[in-house]
């Protein structure tokens, strides 16, 4: 896998996303995830201090962006074989 840096407004440093093309569809960043991450960045009050769950997280971009925007708790889920990709993104942004 590789770390893909994504600049989001409101963050001093880019968010790093673990991409793993060998994991197929869940191993890549999807446009919908980018749009939602940007939306959270533009409207951090939507997630700040809140509990967030991302279903079918794949790379966990949305969950990681919610963390970066101040969510109090984030849970990301996907099929068991994709946990390493999600964990990679979360680890890259600790």
């Amino acid at each position: 896998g590789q770390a893909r840096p994504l600049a989001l407004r409101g963050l001093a440093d880019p968010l790093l996303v673990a991409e793993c093309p060998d994991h197929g569809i869940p191993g890549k960043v999807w446009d919908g995830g980018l749009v939602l991450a940007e939306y959270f960045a533009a409207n951090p009050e939507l997630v700040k201090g809140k509990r967030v769950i991302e279903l079918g997280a794949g790379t966990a971009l949305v969950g990681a962006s919610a963390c970066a925007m101040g969510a109090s708790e984030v849970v990301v889920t996907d099929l068991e074989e994709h946990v390493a990709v999600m964990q990679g993104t979360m680890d890259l942004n600790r």
Side-chain angles (χ1 to χ4, degrees):
Q2 57 193 9
R4 177 179 174 181
L6 297 171
L8 296 176
R9 73 185 92 161
L11 293 181
D13 296 316
L15 196 64
L16 298 175
V17 180
E19 284 193 300
C20 296
D22 58 327
H23 278 263
I25 292 170
K28 70 176 208 160
V29 171
W30 285 77
D31 290 345
L34 289 170
V35 170
L36 190 51
E38 282 290 337
Y39 190 74
F40 287 165
N43 303 281
E45 70 279 1
L46 294 174
V47 294
K48 187 173 183 170
K50 297 184 180 163
R51 296 169 66 199
V52 175
I53 185 167
E54 183 183 6
L55 305 173
T59 62
L61 165 61
V62 173
S65 68
C67 282
M69 297 302 151
S72 62
E73 180 181 358
V74 174
V75 174
V76 295
T77 68
D78 208 313
L79 298 173
E80 187 174 343
E81 58 264 26
H82 305 301
V83 169
V85 179
M86 296 183 301
Q87 189 65 55
T89 293
M90 300 311 265
D91 289 346
L92 286 166
N93 294 286
R94 289 195 191 272

